[in-house]
Amino acid sequence: MMSTFSSKENFVNTFKVAVAETYGRDFEDTKSVERYLVLGHLIRDYAGINWKETKNAIKKSQTKQLYYFSMEFLMGRLLTNNLMNLGIYDVVKDGLDELGMNINEIEEVESDAGLGNGGLGRLAACFMDSLASLNLAGNGNCIRYRYGLFKQKIENFQQVELPDCWLKYGNVWEVWKPQHEVKVKFGGKVDAYMDYNGKFHMKYEPDFVVRAVPYDEPIIGYHTKTTNTLRLWDAQVDENSVKPGQLGQYLSDVSALTANVYPDDSTLDGKRLRLKQEYFFVCAGINQIIESHLRVYPSLDNLAEKVAIQLNDTHPVLVIPELMRVLMDDYNYDWDPAWNIVTHTVAYTNHTVMAEALEKWPQDMMRDLLPRVYMIIEEIERRFHYEVDHRNMGYLFNSVSILKDNQVHMAHLAIVGSHSVNGVAKIHSEILVNDVMSSFAALYPDRFNNKTNGITHRRWLLYSNPQLTDLLIDTIGDGFIKHPSELSKLMDYVDDPILQNRFMEVKRERKAILAKYVKDTLNIDVDVDSIFDCQAKRLHAYKRQLLNVFHIMHLYLRMKKDPNFRIYPRTFFFSAKAAPSYALAKEIIKLINMVAEKVNNDPEISRYIKVVFIPNYSVSVAEVLMNAADVSEQISTAGKEASGTGNMKYMMNGALTLGTLDGANVEIVEQVGYENAQIFGLHVEDINELKKENSYNAWNLYNQDANIREVIESLKNNTWANDPNAFQLIYNDLMLRNDEFFVLADFEAYIYAQSLVQRMYEDRSRWARMMLINIAKSGYFSSDRTIQEYADQIWGLTPIPFEN
Ligand SMILES: *Cc1c(COP(=O)(O)O)cnc(C)c1O
């Protein structure tokens, strides 16, 4: 068969004809967008061959499959990734060259699929890539949001939110599957009745019904046939479900359901719609699983042997009562066998220990919106209560109840209904077992485990940093591409001055690419030979962007006061979105931008410090930022960051981790050694002690420490803004609410750690060696390792056996 991509000539001919046919005009008269769309469709169709074979092979071999339920998938762009994984990047690049086009220009047309808030959604995307690349049958299940999170603009130093219209040109990767629609029902009432045999049945009369219609995207593995599916559900009108006189209301309710990603991953807002979204994609996903299972197997008795469901955080926890509902109401299972199937199928990943971020729903809201599901949750609680009592552990009940204080505790429901509960980094899993979920750990000690997060080294090293990839292949061969643990071979060369120099050249090249991006988009000049110091992540008090900007403020004030104090030139990069309702976070963005304005325009200081806030943090921004970093800022309050994955992306591209002992930073230092990272600040134990003794007092630090006092005073004395109240929320949070996240407590340690970073950087050979060691040790953080652990230890998944 002559395939489109078998040679440059075939590609050029097919592509030109396809563009001309699609748009009914000569190829030369078409625009980049049109060419991008046609190219995307050609690639998707090409992937369709393996997609079909994957489905057939799974069916034929009866291979167990995973369904990854996640409210978020932060996929980013897919063109480069798909071309590279298919092994046809060069054919397409050369073909486009021949047609007088640069492939980068086409790549830039694609919108980021930003269907998520941050780390949790990006983890789901990395996992999809690893599953397919390891030949594991893994399906993603989510919502087809019409708008991504939001597009961030900075106006007047402040965040402005604009709609993220990622579907502006459609989505070339998706295939609409209207034949697989599922009806999802909300509200109304439930009646129970008894049949001839005395068995109870449920009759449900909903008051709101929508059709869930799937759009499937192929997830293409690296140099393999395996092509998995990411299924995104759209909500569409059900003609027969409109109540008389309510057409307008009905249409807008349906439309609202999939309008956008809930923009807030921390606070309690817009609740009801969010709960509707959760049930919507859970119900649709479960229905699809059941139907495809019954197409291959005679009954659902073996569901747990053939299907694993992973819940990415608590957002999809309704899977547990929903699967119970389907088994009992639709397939006549009794409670115990149904519960056995559910708990052996479902596993749960916890992503946070912060009390305010643990998901809870008002019982009334849940009962109103999902009456049958709520009944089942009550019964789960009743039986769980009985079990705990029966085991004489009733004293635990207050801390493990699912229904408590008129709320449904989703994490508790998740733990009770799963066979596995995992944290996402060692320290986080320990905190779960020893602290936050200790009562559950006493009840179910074998249920808890750790799966340290990872990132796909394909996107975050091979594709976004081809310069470094080439150097690595040149030095250690290409084995690390399939087996990232082989990056450790680099350890034999870290002292080689020639490699060190070549590496520093590569780093400089990446820094120049970032500098150009900053010049083009923000018109700021940055010095490529300065230290690139980067903090890019969601804006949260616990992530402590404030500590970072306070250090910059301190350096500025000190240099202004003391002409003999000068630092090695440094460029501080920030990129962060704040939840639209999170006023404190927004004020921190304003502070960063006002400090940037002041510093960058001070001719005395701007030779030493530049501050750059890159708007609209997204996967595409991360792809140019991370690999240009010298310093990776991972400075959360110890105990608060579950894992972090940004830290791994920087490490894999050589940056030094400047961090607290938190999340996966702990394992990064374990890999590279304390001499190849810069660790500072309070430990979890210190913070627990301060809290227990109630002995932390921000005012004491303010009174004792002149550096702290000057920085705090500068918030109010018009140093940065012409308004003493401009940073009132920040001031109040630190000084009147006693600095919940210990920013001031870690301030001096951080300043000192930063001075050590500078000293290390000034020894060029030592710095290069250290960066190379970071790369050499980063193989552990490939999500291929993480997924292999999930597959072996939780899912029981083996590779799809392809014939031939
Ligand atoms: C990796 C990544 C994150 C997670 O970053 P953390 O530093 O771990 O919080 C968030 N957003 C995007 C776009 C990312 O690529």
Side-chain angles (χ1 to χ4, degrees):
M1 191 183 75
M2 290 293 277
S3 106
T4 310
F5 300 100
S6 58
S7 70
K8 186 176 78 175
E9 289 66 36
N10 284 343
F11 168 64
V12 168
N13 292 333
T14 316
F15 182 52
K16 279 185 77 168
V17 171
V19 171
E21 286 181 354
T22 305
Y23 292 101
R25 53 176 61 203
D26 287 334
F27 178 82
E28 289 69 24
D29 297 334
T30 55
K31 296 199 156 68
S32 302
V33 175
E34 295 167 323
R35 296 172 186 184
Y36 160 76
L37 292 173
V38 170
L39 176 60
H41 283 129
L42 288 175
I43 298 165
R44 192 200 65 198
D45 291 349
Y46 179 66
I49 305 163
N50 285 342
W51 208 0
K52 180 194 75 179
E53 288 201 23
T54 303
K55 288 170 192 163
N56 289 343
I58 293 170
K59 226 180 259 172
K60 186 140 186 244
S61 60
Q62 308 200 338
T63 303
K64 186 172 185 179
Q65 300 188 63
L66 164 74
Y67 291 84
Y68 197 79
F69 278 64
S70 179
M71 193 85 175
E72 307 183 11
F73 279 86
L74 210 58
M75 300 297 283
R77 291 173 175 155
L78 287 170
L79 180 63
T80 313
N81 184 78
N82 286 348
L83 288 173
M84 292 276 195
N85 278 9
L86 286 165
I88 57 173
Y89 188 86
D90 288 337
V91 169
V92 170
K93 181 174 177 292
D94 295 346
L96 292 175
D97 264 352
E98 188 170 305
L99 292 163
M101 295 157 63
N102 184 336
I103 192 166
N104 298 332
E105 182 193 322
I106 299 285
E107 288 165 335
E108 288 297 319
V109 173
E110 185 172 6
S111 309
D112 268 46
L115 308 184
N117 277 289
L120 173 154
R122 184 54 229 171
L123 183 77
C126 284
F127 280 5
M128 292 307 288
D129 185 60
S130 286
L131 281 160
S133 298
L134 295 172
N135 292 312
L136 298 168
N139 309 276
N141 192 63
C142 186
I143 294 172
R144 185 177 181 273
Y145 304 99
R146 289 195 302 288
Y147 303 95
L149 184 62
F150 60 81
K151 197 169 138 190
Q152 181 196 54
K153 242 178 56 175
I154 301 298
E155 259 176 29
N156 229 336
F157 310 109
Q158 285 173 287
Q159 166 173 303
V160 176
E161 301 101 30
L162 304 174
D164 170 22
C165 306
W166 74 291
L167 292 170
K168 189 165 55 177
Y169 303 123
N171 175 7
V172 288
W173 309 113
E174 71 190 8
V175 184
W176 184 39
K177 301 275 180 70
Q179 69 280 17
H180 293 306
E181 68 164 37
V182 173
K183 289 203 170 134
V184 183
K185 302 168 182 174
F186 298 91
K189 58 181 200 296
V190 180
D191 284 324
Y193 67 92
M194 212 176 270
D195 70 12
Y196 302 121
N197 303 316
K199 195 171 156 65
F200 261 111
H201 294 275
M202 292 295 157
K203 192 163 167 306
Y204 178 32
E205 280 180 40
D207 68 11
F208 179 64
V209 179
V210 292
R211 289 185 306 128
V213 181
Y215 288 77
D216 288 356
E217 273 184 28
I219 302 293
I220 298 162
Y222 176 81
H223 291 198
T224 169
K225 270 192 183 174
T226 301
T227 305
N228 288 328
T229 302
L230 171 59
R231 178 158 276 195
L232 303 177
W233 296 95
D234 183 28
Q236 286 172 14
V237 167
D238 183 48
E239 288 172 11
N240 304 314
S241 297
V242 188
K243 296 212 185 85
Q246 307 230 322
L247 180 59
Q249 185 61 44
Y250 177 74
L251 295 181
S252 75
D253 286 348
V254 173
S255 169
L257 196 46
T258 53
N260 55 328
V261 181
Y262 188 67
D264 197 332
D265 51 6
S266 66
T267 59
L268 314 166
D269 247 345
K271 301 273 316 173
R272 198 180 151 84
L273 179 59
R274 165 89 166 173
L275 181 57
K276 260 174 147 171
Q277 287 186 330
E278 292 185 356
Y279 183 66
F280 172 74
F281 89 108
V282 159
C283 173
I286 289 295
N287 244 279
Q288 177 227 328
I289 291 173
I290 300 284
E291 284 193 7
S292 45
H293 185 86
L294 291 176
R295 257 179 260 136
V296 183
Y297 306 99
S299 84
L300 296 170
D301 292 353
N302 67 340
L303 190 73
E305 287 151 48
K306 295 300 171 187
V307 168
I309 296 177
Q310 189 70 35
L311 309 178
N312 193 26
D313 211 332
T314 53
H315 320 132
V317 164
L318 293 173
V319 157
I320 292 164
E322 173 64 10
L323 188 50
M324 286 299 286
R325 184 190 70 76
V326 173
L327 290 168
M328 294 190 303
D329 296 359
D330 300 347
Y331 294 92
N332 276 312
Y333 279 83
D334 287 332
W335 184 279
D336 287 329
W339 186 246
N340 196 42
I341 292 173
V342 170
T343 51
H344 284 87
T345 304
V346 178
Y348 156 61
T349 303
N350 173 283
H351 283 271
T352 182
V353 295
M354 308 231 306
E356 66 274 26
L358 285 171
E359 211 184 5
K360 298 179 192 79
W361 292 102
Q363 287 175 23
D364 292 347
M365 190 190 289
M366 182 92 76
R367 192 188 298 115
D368 279 357
L369 195 63
L370 306 167
R372 178 59 181 142
V373 163
Y374 185 76
M375 285 173 72
I376 292 170
I377 295 173
E378 282 184 317
E379 183 63 13
I380 293 172
E381 168 85 333
R382 197 183 69 77
R383 288 171 185 248
F384 174 53
H385 205 166
Y386 181 83
E387 178 200 330
V388 174
D389 274 348
H390 201 70
R391 290 172 58 185
N392 288 322
M393 294 172 95
Y395 58 91
L396 290 177
F397 214 79
N398 191 43
S399 55
V400 295
S401 291
I402 299 167
L403 301 173
K404 192 169 60 175
D405 307 327
N406 299 316
Q407 293 189 304
V408 186
H409 290 242
M410 301 300 267
H412 296 187
L413 178 56
I415 300 172
V416 173
S418 301
H419 64 92
S420 161
V421 178
N422 75 281
V424 288
K426 252 191 225 168
I427 184 175
H428 166 61
S429 297
E430 281 165 14
I431 292 171
L432 281 182
V433 168
N434 298 329
D435 183 356
V436 184
M437 300 296 175
S438 59
S439 301
F440 278 109
L443 276 170
Y444 306 122
D446 300 335
R447 206 165 283 189
F448 287 81
N449 64 89
N450 173 246
K451 296 287 167 284
T452 298
N453 280 168
I455 54 165
T456 168
H457 64 288
R458 288 167 288 275
R459 179 177 292 264
W460 295 108
L461 171 59
L462 305 182
Y463 307 159
S464 54
N465 195 348
Q467 296 84 353
L468 177 56
T469 302
D470 287 347
L471 178 62
L472 291 170
I473 293 173
D474 228 35
T475 311
I476 58 171
D478 62 5
F480 73 94
I481 293 176
K482 273 266 179 191
H483 305 286
S485 61
E486 288 186 20
L487 282 168
S488 63
K489 289 184 177 168
L490 199 59
M491 287 306 288
D492 293 343
Y493 304 92
V494 298
D495 290 308
D496 174 3
I498 297 172
L499 178 67
Q500 289 178 356
N501 267 324
R502 288 179 73 194
F503 172 72
M504 290 302 268
E505 273 312 303
V506 163
K507 184 54 95 173
R508 199 169 184 281
E509 214 179 307
R510 293 307 317 186
K511 288 166 81 168
I513 291 168
L514 176 61
K516 180 174 184 315
Y517 175 82
V518 166
K519 178 70 184 168
D520 291 348
T521 57
L522 302 170
N523 199 24
I524 300 176
D525 290 296
V526 303
D527 173 4
V528 176
D529 293 310
S530 65
I531 302 173
F532 277 24
D533 181 318
C534 302
Q535 187 173 21
K537 45 182 78 245
R538 281 301 290 266
L539 215 139
H540 265 291
Y542 84 83
K543 290 176 182 278
R544 298 201 296 191
Q545 281 93 352
L546 204 49
L547 184 56
N548 188 342
V549 71
F550 275 10
H551 169 238
I552 301 169
M553 290 154 69
H554 163 76
L555 291 176
Y556 176 86
L557 294 171
R558 189 165 165 204
M559 286 203 272
K560 290 303 270 188
K561 241 184 9 197
D562 177 1
N564 293 318
F565 174 70
R566 289 297 178 260
I567 61 164
Y568 193 96
R570 216 190 266 229
T571 307
F572 294 94
F573 293 91
F574 291 87
S575 196
K577 288 178 182 172
S581 61
Y582 192 174
L584 175 64
K586 289 178 136 178
E587 198 171 280
I588 295 170
I589 290 179
K590 182 169 82 177
L591 176 61
I592 294 167
N593 282 298
M594 297 198 89
V595 168
E597 173 81 1
K598 185 85 181 176
V599 171
N600 297 353
N601 293 308
D602 185 321
E604 219 182 332
I605 304 299
S606 63
R607 293 160 52 202
Y608 301 98
I609 304 179
K610 280 275 169 71
V611 181
V612 179
F613 187 97
I614 301 178
N616 202 37
Y617 187 49
S618 56
V619 173
S620 289
V621 167
E623 284 166 1
V624 286
L625 182 74
M626 305 276 186
N627 54 43
D630 295 308
V631 178
S632 157
E633 297 266 2
Q634 307 300 335
I635 59 179
S636 52
T637 311
K640 297 296 180 189
E641 186 73 87
S643 163
T645 49
N647 46 4
M648 303 168 186
K649 301 169 197 163
Y650 289 105
M651 177 203 192
M652 200 172 269
N653 287 278
L656 168 110
T657 302
L658 167 59
T660 47
L661 279 180
D662 199 17
N665 299 352
V666 175
E667 286 151 272
I668 289 176
V669 205
E670 232 173 69
Q671 294 283 334
V672 300
Y674 276 85
E675 66 285 9
N676 296 304
Q678 191 54 251
I679 298 300
F680 73 96
L682 295 171
H683 298 187
V684 189
E685 297 79 14
D686 304 330
I687 285 173
N688 288 343
E689 192 65 21
L690 286 172
K691 282 186 178 160
K692 206 175 92 196
E693 307 279 311
N694 204 9
S695 58
Y696 180 57
N697 184 338
W699 281 106
N700 288 346
L701 287 173
Y702 176 94
N703 290 324
Q704 289 157 17
D705 187 318
N707 291 332
I708 289 179
R709 202 159 53 242
E710 279 170 14
V711 167
I712 296 287
E713 285 306 300
S714 80
L715 292 171
K716 311 215 294 175
N717 67 9
N718 293 353
T719 305
W720 317 107
N722 252 331
D723 171 5
N725 298 316
F727 306 114
Q728 195 68 50
L729 293 175
I730 296 172
Y731 181 88
N732 290 352
D733 200 65
L734 297 175
M735 304 313 301
L736 306 185
R737 304 186 56 219
N738 203 33
D739 184 15
E740 182 182 355
F741 295 104
F742 300 89
V743 174
L744 303 183
D746 275 342
F747 182 76
E748 285 296 343
Y750 180 62
I751 305 268
Y752 181 63
Q754 282 284 25
S755 72
L756 296 180
V757 168
Q758 169 174 323
R759 205 179 303 162
M760 284 161 92
Y761 191 86
E762 284 169 326
D763 180 347
R764 185 179 156 97
S765 166
R766 175 172 175 204
W767 187 265
R769 180 175 185 278
M770 190 200 66
M771 286 192 139
L772 289 167
I773 291 173
N774 270 272
I775 297 165
K777 302 288 188 177
S778 69
Y780 179 77
F781 297 104
S782 165
S783 46
D784 288 5
R785 186 270 312 153
T786 313
I787 284 296
Q788 196 59 59
E789 289 179 6
Y790 274 94
D792 293 341
Q793 298 163 23
I794 300 178
W795 303 329
L797 236 51
T798 51
I800 304 165
F802 286 98
E803 286 164 7
N804 76 42

